[in-house]
Amino acid sequence: MTDASRPLLTVDHLTMRFGGLVAIDDVSFDAHPSEITAIIGPNGAGKTTVFNCLTGFYKPTEGMLTLNRGKRSFLLERMEGHDIAGHAGIARTFQNIRLFSAMSVLENLLVAQHRSLMAASAGSFAGLFGLPSYRHAHRTAIDKAKGWLDRVGLTHRADEDAGNLPYGDQRRLEIARAMCSDPVLLCLDEPAAGLNPRETQGLNELIVGIRKDFGTGILLIEHDMSVVMQISDHVIVLDYGRKISDGTPDQVRADPAVIRAYLGEEDEDTAVTANAAAGP
Amino acid sequence: MTATTYDSADTKARAFPWRTALIEAGITAFIAFMLAITMVGIHLETVQGGLAIATRFADVVVAIILAFVGRIGIVAMREGFPMVVLIGGVAAAALGLLVPPIDIVAAVLQALGGEAPPATPVLQIMQVAGGVILALRAAWLVWRQRGSRESQDERSRSLGDLSARIQGWTGYIGPVAAAFAVALPFLFYDRATIDLATLVLTYIMLAWGLNIIVGLAGLLDLGYVAFYAVGAYSYALLATEFGWSFWICLPLAGLLAATAGLILGFPVLRLRGDYFAIVTLGFGEIIRVVLLNWYEFTGGPDGISSIPRPSFFGFAEFTRSPDEGVTAFHDMFGLEFSGIHRVIFLYYLILVLALFVNFVSVRVRRLPIGRAWEALREDDVACQSLGINRRNIKLAAFMFSAGFGGVAGSFFATRQGFISPESFQFIESAIILAIVVLGGMGSQAGIVLAAVLMIGMPEVFRELEQYRMLAFGALMVIIMVWRPRGLLAHRDPSVRLHPPEGRRRLWSIGGRKAAEPAVSDGAAQ
Ligand SMILES: Nc1ncnc2c1ncn2[C@@H]1O[C@H](COP(=O)(O)OP(=O)(O)OP(=O)(O)O)[C@@H](O)[C@H]1O
Ligand SMILES: [Mg+2]
């Protein structure tokens, strides 16, 4: 961990209210480049809401969200959603997969490169007349998509409708699509949900590989503890919108507040066992 | 009751369940009797000095027999005897065509000493149509049994394959159809046919234009006729007020309509789904009402008349005796003067305009903007998360669509020579939209097919007189039941990593030309 360097993302006193409901209550944390930061918590803890605030789908009620990309800093709460993805470089996946189902797998990956392709097609004119500059950009985009298809093992299904893929493939395709937009921060919302153990293992490798090869910072919401404990560098625990713990996987696992949140206060026995299982 | 299960699992010979068939057919006949006796059997006739009740019992008898036999056919089909029904249906249809059923009844009645009833063509139509429908249904079952295709799923997939195949053929059908369109004025050298073809092409062009908003971007625009009107009035006003030439006004009308699209697009951007549709509907009406009431500018309900006709690209006029210093088209080519020259010229004009719209749409679909439109249709939330500016993308869709609508509008104005708000009613938007939906959203070839059916058929069915709209409506219902996603709903990816074998790629912006020349489309799967 490079503590000296600036964090990639700083979440400062983030609060999100929906009418009377406080979905996020004064949460602060950092995320660093090339690190996997997991956000865990029981159902309804406010994890997805954090993502929605980060990616501009919700305007936070209070708080400051800063993303540092190179020398530039972006104040996310003041930006429009599409600029957060396009300029600041935050990409995300969704808890319920959101692919462009009736479009082919390859097309999904090309849509993700919309910004660079659009610039190359010069407001569609270069594209309409098939100018060489556009053709070149198009080929580059396809090569990049091909690289990602190879990585997620979908090359042979490139021309099929994304909606026809099996569930596990769709999850991986969504990650590849997010990565095709060249993000500095990748937000994954429960990527392992609905996967079998073998697929989950593959997913772990994919995420770790992305971090290693691209230096992308990763925010990971996950219920599957085998994923969280295996690959994350840093875990944040939310409960009822509040941050109740923050640290390395081992620290969090041993934190009594976390055990209480997950197992309920009364159940002393289990708490002790879990504690013991967490080890020294 | 009937259409749910057509289990065709066992093909073994079975006894025909006469009892069920007769009971069901009996009930059907009874219902038919109850309905027909009042609705068909008795009717009012104007006679001298007032009204009189007339009877048509022979018709009732025929109707009941038809219902009875038809029901037996349905039961037979359900019980796994499609072959019998197929033959019976064809026979019934053929018999209906040759000998009107009423004649048979009349003959019987006459033999019994009664008087011959007046002929009713409706029953004949019913018999033919019923026979054909039953036969088609049965043929479908027979075909399905042979291929031992069972599940509904597989059935719809095989239909999908079929339309995929047809879509694949458009690589060849397209040029053939275009060649046919080019040759049409000479194949049918008559005014009515060319006029009808021009009308159909106008709608094809409009539908291709609307397809960008509805089929690609997935925004249900119910007010497309507004842009058509803007284009028409742009040309009409520019030409009558300033005397500008059609050839300058044509692109100008497109640009003005695109601007209108931009202006109307802004307020509706935030709306989705039904709200979007309703507001666009409102805008369409607003434009029409403005045209109707702004008397000084648009002539209100009187419209604008004597709109100049287009010249032959500024070189010649289509008139018998043109003004001083202007060449006449027939003199230029040393032809005999004929009014049909202009008709043919207008036909070719709309053909070129429509093909231009097609060319641009097909091309744009393969560009980032076109893909973004489709992505927007699929999932706009995901679009935003990928950095796509939804506002700009939607506005671009509006501008493209509106611009094409405007060009079509100025063509309409110059062809008619007279326009008024009457021509830009909501029904026009509805027809254009119906063509897009019927054709299969987003399918260029489907739109041609649907436009020919929608615009051409009512003209062809003109002979059926008041049953025309009925036949038309029935056709729409049948298509929507048979192919709810449109006639040619199959979508081909805009770019492929693995080009399909044996199919020629018409476009390859990706630079990946399919190496193989077109081989026959064998059923290799
Ligand atoms: N748009 C909204 N309007 C009102 N309430 C909302 C909205 N979005 C989220 N909430 C509420 O905020 C709380 C947190 O929801 P969130 O989806 O962030 O939970 P989560 O931690 O992602 O849960 P899960 O593990 O089930 O996905 C919930 O009580 C939810 O009902
Ligand atoms: Mg969630």
Side-chain angles (χ1 to χ4, degrees), chain B residues 213 219 221 227 261 265 268 276 280 394-403:
Chain B
I213 290 188
L219 302 166
D221 183 352
F227 306 129
V268 296
F276 179 92
T280 52
K394 282 187 194 173
L395 281 179
F398 253 92
M399 286 182 64
F400 268 91
S401 258

Side-chain angles (χ1 to χ4, degrees), chain B residues 253-410:
Chain B
L255 286 179
L256 283 170
T259 313
L262 196 65
I263 294 168
L264 293 191
F266 256 112
V268 296
L269 282 175
R270 290 178 171 276
L271 303 173
R272 284 198 210 178
D274 301 346
Y275 299 103
F276 179 92
I278 290 165
V279 173
T280 52
L281 172 71
F283 277 140
E285 283 302 287
I286 287 173
I287 294 264
R288 192 176 64 83
V289 171
V290 167
L291 293 177
L292 203 57
N293 289 294
W294 196 357
Y295 196 85
E296 302 77 52
F297 188 56
T298 64
D302 304 341
I304 300 173
S305 51
S306 50
I307 301 168
R309 301 314 192 91
S311 61
F312 185 67
F313 305 111
F315 298 127
E317 293 286 344
F318 292 94
T319 39
R320 188 185 291 279
S321 44
D323 300 340
E324 279 300 305
V326 182
T327 337
F329 177 79
H330 58 281
D331 289 338
M332 194 169 164
F333 289 90
L335 300 168
E336 192 72 7
F337 174 79
S338 162
I340 205 167
H341 290 159
R342 192 203 327 259
V343 177
I344 294 178
F345 178 69
L346 285 171
Y347 171 80
Y348 279 122
L349 179 60
I350 187 67
L351 180 62
V352 169
L353 290 176
L355 287 179
F356 170 74
V357 173
N358 179 45
F359 174 79
V360 174
S361 329
V362 168
R363 195 106 188 161
V364 160
R365 198 175 85 89
R366 289 156 211 272
L367 292 182
I369 184 126
R371 261 184 236 120
W373 285 335
E374 291 197 79
L376 200 69
R377 177 192 67 202
E378 295 297 308
D379 194 322
D380 64 335
V381 168
C383 273
Q384 179 181 329
S385 83
L386 294 170
I388 293 175
N389 185 334
R390 291 182 287 183
R391 186 188 58 213
N392 293 356
I393 294 297
K394 282 187 194 173
L395 281 179
F398 253 92
M399 286 182 64
F400 268 91
S401 258
F404 292 148
V407 172
S410 65

